[in-house]
Amino acid sequence: MPALLELDHVGLSYHTLAGEIPALSQISFSIQEGEFVSLVGPSGCGKSTFIRILAGLENADSGSVCLNGISTDERIPPNKRNIALVYQEPVLWNHMPVWKNIAYGMAKKDKKVIYELMDALEIGGLEKRFPEEISGGQAKRVALARALAADKGILLLDEPLSNIDEKTKLKNLEYLVQNYKDRKTILYVTHSKMEADFLGCRQIRMDVKE
Protein backbone atom coordinates (compact mmCIF):
# COMPACT_ATOMS: atom_id res chain seq x y z
CA MET A 1 0.00 0.00 0.00
CA PRO A 2 1.55 3.34 -1.03
CA ALA A 3 2.19 5.86 1.73
CA LEU A 4 -0.10 8.85 2.13
CA LEU A 5 2.90 11.08 2.91
CA GLU A 6 6.33 10.30 1.50
CA LEU A 7 9.41 12.38 2.31
CA ASP A 8 12.69 11.76 0.56
CA HIS A 9 15.88 13.54 1.73
CA VAL A 10 14.10 16.82 2.51
CA GLY A 11 16.45 19.68 3.34
CA LEU A 12 16.20 23.40 4.01
CA SER A 13 18.68 26.14 4.93
CA TYR A 14 18.01 29.76 5.79
CA HIS A 15 20.15 32.31 3.97
CA THR A 16 21.43 35.10 6.25
CA LEU A 17 24.14 37.75 6.14
CA ALA A 18 26.24 35.44 8.27
CA GLY A 19 25.82 32.62 5.78
CA GLU A 20 23.57 29.60 5.46
CA ILE A 21 21.93 28.20 8.58
CA PRO A 22 20.82 24.57 8.14
CA ALA A 23 17.33 23.90 9.47
CA LEU A 24 16.66 20.47 8.00
CA SER A 25 18.98 17.94 6.41
CA GLN A 26 18.18 14.67 4.66
CA ILE A 27 14.83 13.99 6.34
CA SER A 28 13.24 10.82 4.97
CA PHE A 29 10.23 8.84 6.20
CA SER A 30 6.73 7.86 5.19
CA ILE A 31 3.33 7.89 6.89
CA GLN A 32 0.46 5.59 5.98
CA GLU A 33 -3.14 6.75 5.79
CA GLY A 34 -4.72 6.59 9.25
CA GLU A 35 -1.37 6.38 11.05
CA PHE A 36 -0.68 8.34 14.24
CA VAL A 37 3.00 9.36 14.37
CA SER A 38 4.97 11.42 16.92
CA LEU A 39 7.81 13.64 15.69
CA VAL A 40 10.05 14.04 18.73
CA GLY A 41 13.02 16.35 19.16
CA PRO A 42 14.51 19.22 21.16
CA SER A 43 13.84 22.91 20.50
CA GLY A 44 15.74 24.18 17.47
CA CYS A 45 15.91 20.88 15.59
CA GLY A 46 13.59 22.06 12.79
CA LYS A 47 10.31 20.36 13.75
CA SER A 48 8.17 23.46 13.12
CA THR A 49 9.99 24.22 9.86
CA PHE A 50 9.29 20.69 8.73
CA ILE A 51 5.59 20.99 9.57
CA ARG A 52 5.39 24.22 7.55
CA ILE A 53 6.87 22.43 4.54
CA LEU A 54 4.26 19.68 4.82
CA ALA A 55 1.49 22.28 5.07
CA GLY A 56 2.78 24.12 2.00
CA LEU A 57 3.80 27.27 3.87
CA GLU A 58 7.51 26.84 3.02
CA ASN A 59 9.40 25.12 0.22
CA ALA A 60 12.27 22.74 0.81
CA ASP A 61 15.65 23.42 -0.81
CA SER A 62 16.16 19.77 -1.63
CA GLY A 63 14.40 16.45 -1.61
CA SER A 64 10.74 15.79 -2.29
CA VAL A 65 7.43 15.70 -0.42
CA CYS A 66 4.66 13.61 -1.97
CA LEU A 67 1.01 13.41 -0.96
CA ASN A 68 -0.75 10.35 -2.37
CA GLY A 69 2.14 9.93 -4.79
CA ILE A 70 1.92 13.50 -6.11
CA SER A 71 4.66 16.06 -5.51
CA THR A 72 3.37 18.85 -3.31
CA ASP A 73 5.84 21.37 -4.76
CA GLU A 74 4.06 21.77 -8.06
CA ARG A 75 0.66 20.15 -8.14
CA ILE A 76 -1.08 20.52 -4.79
CA PRO A 77 -1.61 24.06 -3.46
CA PRO A 78 -1.83 24.40 0.34
CA ASN A 79 -5.62 24.85 0.36
CA LYS A 80 -6.11 21.57 -1.53
CA ARG A 81 -4.07 19.28 0.71
CA ASN A 82 -6.87 18.14 3.06
CA ILE A 83 -4.67 19.25 5.97
CA ALA A 84 -5.52 20.94 9.28
CA LEU A 85 -2.58 22.63 11.00
CA VAL A 86 -2.21 23.62 14.64
CA TYR A 87 0.64 26.08 15.07
CA GLN A 88 2.99 26.04 18.04
CA GLU A 89 1.54 29.40 19.06
CA PRO A 90 -2.26 29.53 18.73
CA VAL A 91 -3.46 31.69 15.86
CA LEU A 92 -7.02 32.83 16.59
CA TRP A 93 -9.30 35.48 15.15
CA ASN A 94 -9.39 38.21 17.81
CA HIS A 95 -12.71 39.63 16.60
CA MET A 96 -14.52 36.29 16.93
CA PRO A 97 -15.73 34.58 20.11
CA VAL A 98 -14.32 31.16 20.89
CA TRP A 99 -17.16 29.17 19.32
CA LYS A 100 -16.83 31.03 16.01
CA ASN A 101 -13.07 30.48 16.03
CA ILE A 102 -13.70 26.75 16.35
CA ALA A 103 -16.40 26.79 13.67
CA TYR A 104 -14.26 28.79 11.22
CA GLY A 105 -12.88 25.82 9.26
CA MET A 106 -16.04 23.70 9.27
CA ALA A 107 -17.74 23.04 5.96
CA LYS A 108 -21.06 22.87 7.82
CA LYS A 109 -21.40 24.74 11.10
CA ASP A 110 -22.64 22.28 13.70
CA LYS A 111 -22.88 23.68 17.21
CA LYS A 112 -23.33 20.21 18.69
CA VAL A 113 -19.92 19.16 17.36
CA ILE A 114 -18.38 22.42 18.61
CA TYR A 115 -19.73 22.05 22.14
CA GLU A 116 -18.78 18.37 22.32
CA LEU A 117 -15.19 19.25 21.36
CA MET A 118 -15.08 22.07 23.89
CA ASP A 119 -16.27 19.77 26.68
CA ALA A 120 -13.82 17.03 25.68
CA LEU A 121 -10.87 19.45 25.69
CA GLU A 122 -12.04 21.07 28.94
CA ILE A 123 -12.78 24.52 27.52
CA GLY A 124 -16.53 24.29 27.95
CA GLY A 125 -18.15 27.54 29.09
CA LEU A 126 -15.76 29.73 27.08
CA GLU A 127 -17.83 29.82 23.91
CA LYS A 128 -18.81 33.51 24.17
CA ARG A 129 -15.42 34.79 25.29
CA PHE A 130 -12.93 36.40 22.94
CA PRO A 131 -9.28 35.29 22.60
CA GLU A 132 -8.04 38.16 24.78
CA GLU A 133 -10.31 36.92 27.58
CA ILE A 134 -8.86 33.40 27.84
CA SER A 135 -5.52 32.00 28.97
CA GLY A 136 -2.72 30.83 26.70
CA GLY A 137 -3.42 27.20 27.53
CA GLN A 138 -7.10 27.65 26.75
CA ALA A 139 -6.21 29.35 23.46
CA LYS A 140 -4.09 26.34 22.48
CA ARG A 141 -7.04 24.03 23.07
CA VAL A 142 -9.34 26.32 21.06
CA ALA A 143 -6.88 26.05 18.17
CA LEU A 144 -6.81 22.27 18.55
CA ALA A 145 -10.61 22.11 18.66
CA ARG A 146 -10.77 24.18 15.44
CA ALA A 147 -8.44 21.72 13.67
CA LEU A 148 -10.48 18.74 14.85
CA ALA A 149 -13.77 20.42 13.90
CA ALA A 150 -12.51 21.07 10.36
CA ASP A 151 -12.58 17.28 9.83
CA LYS A 152 -9.59 17.13 7.50
CA GLY A 153 -7.91 13.85 6.65
CA ILE A 154 -4.46 14.91 7.87
CA LEU A 155 -3.74 16.67 11.17
CA LEU A 156 -0.38 18.41 11.66
CA LEU A 157 -0.16 19.26 15.36
CA ASP A 158 2.85 21.38 16.33
CA GLU A 159 3.19 21.07 20.12
CA PRO A 160 -0.57 21.64 20.52
CA LEU A 161 -0.60 20.99 24.28
CA SER A 162 2.62 22.62 25.46
CA ASN A 163 2.41 24.89 28.53
CA ILE A 164 -0.70 23.13 29.80
CA ASP A 165 -0.87 21.48 33.22
CA GLU A 166 -0.04 17.77 33.16
CA LYS A 167 -3.45 16.53 34.33
CA THR A 168 -5.31 18.42 31.59
CA LYS A 169 -2.67 17.53 29.00
CA LEU A 170 -2.98 13.80 29.70
CA LYS A 171 -6.78 13.97 29.47
CA ASN A 172 -6.51 15.75 26.12
CA LEU A 173 -3.93 13.26 24.82
CA GLU A 174 -6.17 10.38 25.89
CA TYR A 175 -9.06 11.99 24.02
CA LEU A 176 -6.97 12.27 20.84
CA VAL A 177 -5.91 8.63 21.00
CA GLN A 178 -9.38 7.28 21.79
CA ASN A 179 -11.24 9.33 19.19
CA TYR A 180 -8.83 9.96 16.31
CA LYS A 181 -6.30 7.10 16.20
CA ASP A 182 -6.91 5.05 13.02
CA ARG A 183 -9.49 7.63 11.89
CA LYS A 184 -7.14 10.44 10.89
CA THR A 185 -3.58 10.64 9.70
CA ILE A 186 -1.85 12.53 12.51
CA LEU A 187 1.68 13.90 12.87
CA TYR A 188 2.06 15.05 16.46
CA VAL A 189 5.12 17.25 17.10
CA THR A 190 6.55 17.41 20.60
CA HIS A 191 9.80 17.87 22.49
CA SER A 192 8.40 15.73 25.31
CA LYS A 193 9.29 12.03 25.26
CA MET A 194 6.61 11.55 27.94
CA GLU A 195 3.92 12.85 25.58
CA ALA A 196 5.14 10.68 22.73
CA ASP A 197 5.28 7.59 24.96
CA PHE A 198 1.79 8.28 26.31
CA LEU A 199 0.39 8.39 22.76
CA GLY A 200 1.74 4.89 22.21
CA CYS A 201 2.39 5.43 18.51
CA ARG A 202 5.39 5.23 16.19
CA GLN A 203 8.04 7.81 17.03
CA ILE A 204 10.36 9.63 14.64
CA ARG A 205 13.35 11.35 16.24
CA MET A 206 14.83 14.65 15.06
CA ASP A 207 18.02 16.22 16.41
CA VAL A 208 19.57 19.69 16.29
CA LYS A 209 21.69 20.28 13.20
CA GLU A 210 25.24 21.51 13.83
Side-chain angles (χ1 to χ4, degrees), residues 6 22 49 51 63 112 115-116 121 124 133 161 173 206 210:
E6 185 80 36
T49 299
I51 287 291
K112 181 181 178 182
Y115 282 90
E116 285 178 350
L121 297 177
E133 299 173 324
L161 299 173
L173 289 173
M206 287 182 67
E210 299 297 337

Side-chain angles (χ1 to χ4, degrees), residues 85-158:
L85 169 64
V86 175
Y87 294 91
Q88 194 172 114
E89 295 298 328
V91 179
L92 303 178
W93 297 102
N94 291 327
H95 64 287
M96 293 182 182
V98 162
W99 80 266
K100 284 191 175 181
N101 265 284
I102 296 172
Y104 186 79
M106 299 176 74
K108 180 182 179 181
K109 314 304 182 191
D110 187 334
K111 282 196 171 183
K112 181 181 178 182
V113 171
I114 293 169
Y115 282 90
E116 285 178 350
L117 279 169
M118 291 183 69
D119 287 342
L121 297 177
E122 300 196 336
I123 49 174
L126 303 180
E127 59 274 3
K128 294 182 180 180
R129 296 191 189 181
F130 287 82
E132 64 181 14
E133 299 173 324
I134 62 178
S135 71
Q138 290 169 336
K140 298 206 77 161
R141 282 173 282 160
V142 171
L144 177 58
R146 179 175 58 193
L148 297 175
D151 200 27
K152 300 293 185 181
I154 302 172
L155 298 175
L156 304 178
L157 309 179
D158 190 359

Side-chain angles (χ1 to χ4, degrees), residues 13 23 30 35 43 56 62 73 76 78 81 102 106 111 120 123 127 130 142 145 147 150 167 174 184-185 191 199:
S13 294
S30 61
E35 191 175 10
S43 298
S62 60
D73 291 338
I76 310 178
R81 296 190 186 195
I102 296 172
M106 299 176 74
K111 282 196 171 183
I123 49 174
E127 59 274 3
F130 287 82
V142 171
K167 182 179 178 180
E174 187 174 30
K184 302 287 184 184
T185 305
H191 65 268
L199 290 169

Side-chain angles (χ1 to χ4, degrees), residues 9-199:
H9 293 87
V10 174
L12 175 66
S13 294
Y14 292 112
H15 306 282
T16 70
L17 293 176
E20 289 193 353
I21 300 176
L24 297 172
S25 178
Q26 305 294 304
I27 303 296
S28 298
F29 64 84
S30 61
I31 299 176
Q32 298 294 328
E33 184 171 3
E35 191 175 10
F36 199 145
V37 175
S38 294
L39 185 63
V40 188
S43 298
C45 71
K47 301 187 302 296
S48 295
T49 299
F50 182 66
I51 287 291
R52 290 177 62 83
I53 290 173
L54 287 181
L57 303 177
E58 289 199 49
N59 293 320
D61 292 335
S62 60
S64 63
V65 178
C66 292
L67 179 59
N68 276 325
I70 302 174
S71 171
T72 59
D73 291 338
E74 300 177 1
R75 302 182 188 179
I76 310 178
N79 64 337
K80 299 295 184 180
R81 296 190 186 195
N82 195 29
I83 286 173
L85 169 64
V86 175
Y87 294 91
Q88 194 172 114
E89 295 298 328
V91 179
L92 303 178
W93 297 102
N94 291 327
H95 64 287
M96 293 182 182
V98 162
W99 80 266
K100 284 191 175 181
N101 265 284
I102 296 172
Y104 186 79
M106 299 176 74
K108 180 182 179 181
K109 314 304 182 191
D110 187 334
K111 282 196 171 183
K112 181 181 178 182
V113 171
I114 293 169
Y115 282 90
E116 285 178 350
L117 279 169
M118 291 183 69
D119 287 342
L121 297 177
E122 300 196 336
I123 49 174
L126 303 180
E127 59 274 3
K128 294 182 180 180
R129 296 191 189 181
F130 287 82
E132 64 181 14
E133 299 173 324
I134 62 178
S135 71
Q138 290 169 336
K140 298 206 77 161
R141 282 173 282 160
V142 171
L144 177 58
R146 179 175 58 193
L148 297 175
D151 200 27
K152 300 293 185 181
I154 302 172
L155 298 175
L156 304 178
L157 309 179
D158 190 359
E159 300 194 24
L161 299 173
S162 61
N163 302 320
I164 294 174
D165 68 271
E166 292 303 311
K167 182 179 178 180
T168 301
K169 179 185 295 185
L170 291 176
K171 284 185 177 180
N172 289 175
L173 289 173
E174 187 174 30
Y175 173 77
L176 282 176
V177 171
Q178 290 179 347
N179 291 274
Y180 294 94
K181 192 173 184 179
D182 301 324
R183 286 186 50 216
K184 302 287 184 184
T185 305
I186 301 175
L187 184 59
Y188 187 100
V189 175
T190 179
H191 65 268
S192 169
K193 187 71 165 54
M194 181 278 292
E195 280 187 52
D197 289 342
F198 186 87
L199 290 169

